[in-house]
Structure formats: C-alpha cells, structure tokens
Amino acid sequence: MRRLAFAFVTVMVLVLTQVGASASWSPSSSGAGYSAGLWIGPATTTVATETGSTSIHITWVAPSGASATPTQYVVRRTAPSTATVCTVSGSTFACDDTSLSASTLYTYTVEARIGTNWSSGQTSGFSATTSAPPDFIVSVTAGNKTAGTAFTATITATTDGVTTDTSYSGSKTVTFTGPADSDSGQAPLYPGSVSFTSGVGSASIKLYNAATATLTATAGALTGSTSITVVAGAPSKLGYTNSSPTCASGSVHVGNGGSFVSKVTMFDAYLNPATQGTSRSVSLTKSVGTGSLSPTTLTIGIGSSETSGSFTIAIPTGNPPNRTVTAASSGITSVVCTVKK
C-alpha cells in the first residue's frame, strides 16, 4: 500500500499598504502570533511664515490618533526649487529655511517617520512668500546701547536690497520709528534729516527705554530696519516696587490700623530698573510717632535692581497722624511715601 505523505506549510503574509497620506502594516490574519497593526498619520497644522526677505519659519503639530510616535520629521521644499530643508527628531516641531530669494513663493511638505521603514508620506503642500528686500540697510555697531547715550546708525540706500545706490546723495528727510518712550516719558531723539554721500548716511540717535526693539528708518518709498537692544544706565534714584497697596503717587491709604508693604528698586534717570556690580544697602526710616517699621535695612544684591526682601510700616488704630517712610542709599536719590489712615 502506497502511502502518500503531505507536508503542510503555513504561510503568514505580511501586507504593506499605503492609504492616502498614511502607511500601515499588519499580519494578514489574527490568531496565534498576531500583532496589532502599526499606524502613523501625517503631521497636522502645517504652517510656513516668512521671517524676512530671505527666510521662512516652518512649524507643524504631531500626527493625531497614531498608534506610535514619530521618531523624526523631514521637511522638504518642493517649489520653486527642491531641497530637504531639515531632518529633526520626533520631539521637534519647527525649522527654518534660509538664504532664500526675496518676494518669492516657497512651498513645503512635512513627512513623519518611524525609524527608516515607516513613513506617513508627505503632507499636502503649504506655502509662504518672502518679503520684499529692504531699500535701506540700517546698521549699528555691535553690542548693547545705554539709555540716554548717543550712538550712530549707518543707513545705506540700495537698488535691490544688496547693491549700494551710489546716486543717492544729499540731505534727506528720514523718519525713525520703533523704540518706545521710557517710563519717565522721555521720547527717543532722532535727527530730522540725514546727509547721504554715494548712498551712505549716518544718524546720531539717543534711545531711553531699556528694551529690545526694531529701529526703522524711512525716507519716501525707501525703508529698512535693524534690531537694537538698550540697557539701563547707572542707578540714580530709588523707588517703591511690588507694593501693597501701591505708592506710585507718593502717598497711600492703608485704613485704620493698616500697613504698607513694599520692596525698593534702583532706577536710572529714565526709570529703567538698573543694576550694578556690587551689592547695595538700603536704609529705611519713618517719621517720628507711634507705629512700627520693620526691617530698617534691606539689601540689593549684585546684578539685581530690587531688594531681596520687603519692609512693612504699620500705623496704629484710632486717629493717628500720617506717617512717612523714606528709603535711602549712598550716592542716589532717596524715595518717600506718605502712609495715610
């Protein structure tokens, strides 16, 4: 009797499918050894934002509802030229495309990946247009500027944002904008006109508000900007800060048996909080009479503008007269607050 032997081979087939902008894999059937499918969707909320005439900032949000977290993202430029802009980790959601042409529309896609094998595919394209090149190039020497101290801004007229327009000469009315007034109310000081020789002029400027701001120069259709940082000048006066209640007007009502609590801050001449390289002692005194003041000395630390602690002046109940508290420190103007019932 002939026996027939049959060898049975069970084959499990892995199927890779591409659906729309997402990829998945799973065994062809469930049962023993079955693995749940792995799914990674496309990045969402893709945005391109121009950040000047030569750069664009690209952002996105991680895929929603994916069964695994992407390990990296690949950003590609697809028009008007093609390039891989960046490849970043799965925890990064932004990158910049630089060295671009002015006034040009650029289109991008984002691809989410897990390792080297699993991809979401590229998102739909999204775009931004770089801004027009500046006609003026505004530049200042490197480093921070000090409030109330003059510095020079160089203004260069150009034909295309790069090439100096040597025909641009003579006295021109230039308007400067951007930096704010200081807290003391002092407005920036700009020249009313700038004299240009072969396309280049210079302007002496004073700014008073300690901040980082964009300084813009405009003359007719020509305009250009630069970023500038102004820092406080030397400490020249004291003021009450973080007060409860505030004594901004020079006096404060605390109610019957109430108290005034405050810190003390050093300011420059334009009311910018000012620091110094050594610590400073601040003495506190009150007018003669009942009530309490504690402590009577506070300290402003190295590199700080405000005392590390607060003082409290309390007035008694009844109908006491007004009290004054004075904060003083050697070499700078003191400050007084009248504390009323």
Side-chain angles (χ1 to χ4, degrees):
M1 178 179 180
R2 178 179 296 176
R3 296 185 177 180
L4 297 178
F6 295 92
F8 293 92
V9 179
T10 301
V11 178
M12 180 174 71
V13 180
L14 294 180
V15 179
L16 176 65
T17 60
Q18 179 74 31
V19 181
S22 63
S24 64
W25 70 267
S26 64
S28 59
S29 62
S30 59
Y34 171 73
S35 294
L38 178 65
W39 183 86
I40 176 173
T44 62
T45 319
T46 51
V47 177
T49 305
E50 63 88 9
T51 50
S53 60
T54 61
S55 60
I56 290 176
H57 185 61
I58 301 140
T59 62
W60 60 93
V61 173
S64 60
S67 64
T69 301
T71 59
Q72 66 178 207
Y73 295 97
V74 180
V75 178
R76 294 183 177 88
R77 186 196 316 136
T78 60
S81 58
T82 58
T84 297
V85 177
C86 62
T87 300
V88 297
S89 71
S91 60
T92 301
F93 305 98
C95 73
D96 293 283
D97 196 10
T98 58
S99 299
L100 304 176
S101 298
S103 304
T104 303
L105 178 70
Y106 288 89
T107 302
Y108 301 91
T109 63
V110 178
E111 176 191 6
R113 299 188 63 86
I114 298 177
T116 58
N117 295 321
W118 310 110
S119 168
S120 67
Q122 298 183 38
T123 62
S124 299
F126 54 100
S127 304
T129 300
T130 51
S131 59
D135 300 306
F136 271 158
I137 297 176
V138 180
S139 61
V140 296
T141 55
N144 296 337
K145 312 308 172 190
T146 301
T149 299
F151 64 92
T152 298
T154 300
I155 305 169
T156 303
T158 72
T159 57
D160 57 3
V162 177
T163 306
T164 301
D165 182 0
T166 56
S167 68
Y168 194 81
S169 296
S171 180
K172 308 292 183 181
T173 300
V174 178
T175 301
F176 295 89
T177 57
D181 296 355
S182 72
D183 284 348
S184 69
Q186 175 63 58
L189 292 182
Y190 304 118
S193 62
V194 175
S195 180
F196 287 83
T197 301
S198 298
V200 181
S202 61
S204 179
I205 294 172
K206 284 185 181 180
L207 302 177
Y208 298 90
N209 186 49
T212 297
T214 299
L215 175 67
T216 299
T218 303
L222 305 181
T223 188
S225 302
T226 190
S227 178
I228 190 164
T229 298
V230 178
V231 297
S236 66
K237 60 183 70 175
L238 295 176
Y240 293 119
T241 52
N242 284 303
S243 303
S244 178
T246 181
C247 194
S249 65
S251 65
V252 59
H253 287 273
V254 298
N256 201 353
S259 60
F260 171 60
V261 181
S262 183
K263 292 185 175 183
V264 181
T265 291
M266 296 187 299
F267 295 94
D268 69 5
Y270 312 105
L271 294 184
N272 298 301
T275 63
Q276 60 182 26
T278 58
S279 62
R280 178 180 285 270
S281 178
V282 177
S283 63
L284 299 154
T285 56
K286 72 177 181 68
S287 57
V288 177
T290 57
S292 62
L293 171 65
S294 178
T296 56
T297 302
L298 293 173
T299 299
I300 299 175
I302 298 173
S304 181
S305 60
E306 188 178 60
T307 57
S308 55
S310 303
F311 71 86
T312 301
I313 180 171
I315 62 173
T317 58
N319 191 31
N322 297 336
R323 300 286 187 270
T324 62
V325 56
T326 301
S329 188
S330 177
I332 58 178
T333 303
S334 59
V335 61
V336 178
C337 181
T338 301
V339 183
K340 304 176 180 180
K341 179 175 64 120

